[in-house]
């Protein structure tokens, strides 16, 4: 199910419906969570849905350099994604995600869009090579009129299956 977040092209190699979720409480009153679903539409076509969230609560707010905060506020970041993958050949999968972003920081709100594109090559049954580009044309429009643009990133990955049917 994590293919919908990290590289949608990997969905091309799934054969069944995949559902997963995770949540973690972190230090400093932070939380992170994710939900992913993959649906095989056809042997070579897969669709995925995803949600990712990150929350920081109890952020101290100060109007001056004081020991005690004037109050507290929160930051909530969420991404809702729609992913598609296509298996071109038995060894090549391509994928893309369209992401909707929403963020609330204290009393301010922002929303925006972005997309990711990736490929997975499986030259041998146990070896996979992946390439993905994140946050292509990604942005957040704040209610104040300010627009934040996301830094584009790329990742290259390699995996090799050492054992059969084991984690």
């Amino acid at each position: 199910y994590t293919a919908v977040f990290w590289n949608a092209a990997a969905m091309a190699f799934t054969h069944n419906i995949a559902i997963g979720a995770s949540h973690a409480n972190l230090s400093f009153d932070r939380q992170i969570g994710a939900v992913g679903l993959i649906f095989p539409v056809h042997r070579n076509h897969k669709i995925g849905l995803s949600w990712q969230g990150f929350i920081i609560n109890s952020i101290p707010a100060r109007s001056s350099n004081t020991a005690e905060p004037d109050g507290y506020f929160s930051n909530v970041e969420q991404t809702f994604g729609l992913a598609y993958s296509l298996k071109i050949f038995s060894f090549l999968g391509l994928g893309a995600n369209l992401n909707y972003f929403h963020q609330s920081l204290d009393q301010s709100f922002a929303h925006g869009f972005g997309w990711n594109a990736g490929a997975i090559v499986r030259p041998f049954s146990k070896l996979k090579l992946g390439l993905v580009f994140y946050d292509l044309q990604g942005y957040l429009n704040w209610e104040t009129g300010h627009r934040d643009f996301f830094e584009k990133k790329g990742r290259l990955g390699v995996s090799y299956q050492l054992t059969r049917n084991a984690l």
Side-chain angles (χ1 to χ4, degrees):
Y1 78 94
T2 60
V4 294
F5 313 122
W6 303 116
N7 187 345
M11 296 188 322
F13 297 98
T14 62
H15 304 291
N16 301 311
I17 292 174
I19 300 170
S22 64
H23 178 268
N25 288 317
L26 306 172
S27 60
F28 303 110
D29 206 10
R30 298 173 299 157
Q31 298 177 49
I32 190 166
V35 177
L37 305 125
I38 300 172
F39 302 99
V41 178
H42 179 270
R43 196 176 96 195
N44 295 329
H45 303 271
K46 311 299 187 308
I47 291 177
L49 299 172
S50 64
W51 170 83
Q52 291 176 292
F54 180 67
I55 301 170
I56 305 174
N57 291 309
S58 303
I59 301 170
R62 292 180 172 82
S63 57
S64 62
N65 191 11
T66 59
E68 292 299 315
D70 300 327
Y72 295 90
F73 65 96
S74 296
N75 177 55
V76 179
E77 301 176 18
Q78 299 184 80
T79 302
F80 301 88
L82 174 64
Y84 171 76
S85 72
L86 172 64
K87 187 186 276 187
I88 303 290
F89 303 107
S90 62
F91 62 89
L92 175 63
L94 302 177
N97 301 56
L98 176 62
N99 295 314
Y100 169 75
F101 305 111
H102 183 268
Q103 182 173 356
S104 63
L105 179 62
D106 194 17
Q107 299 298 316
S108 298
F109 297 92
H111 61 89
F113 289 94
W115 62 283
N116 309 333
I120 297 278
V121 177
R122 200 164 80 179
F124 309 105
S125 64
K126 295 183 178 188
L127 177 68
K128 292 181 188 169
L129 307 169
L131 175 66
V132 65
F133 295 100
Y134 296 102
D135 297 327
L136 302 170
Q137 299 176 335
Y139 66 89
L140 275 174
N141 283 330
W142 288 91
E143 62 185 346
T144 61
H146 177 78
R147 180 179 264 197
D148 287 324
F149 293 96
F150 297 166
E151 179 181 343
K152 295 164 188 63
K153 299 176 196 116
R155 289 192 178 141
L156 179 64
V158 176
S159 73
Y160 186 81
Q161 182 183 3
L162 295 175
T163 60
R164 187 166 177 78
N165 299 325
L167 293 175

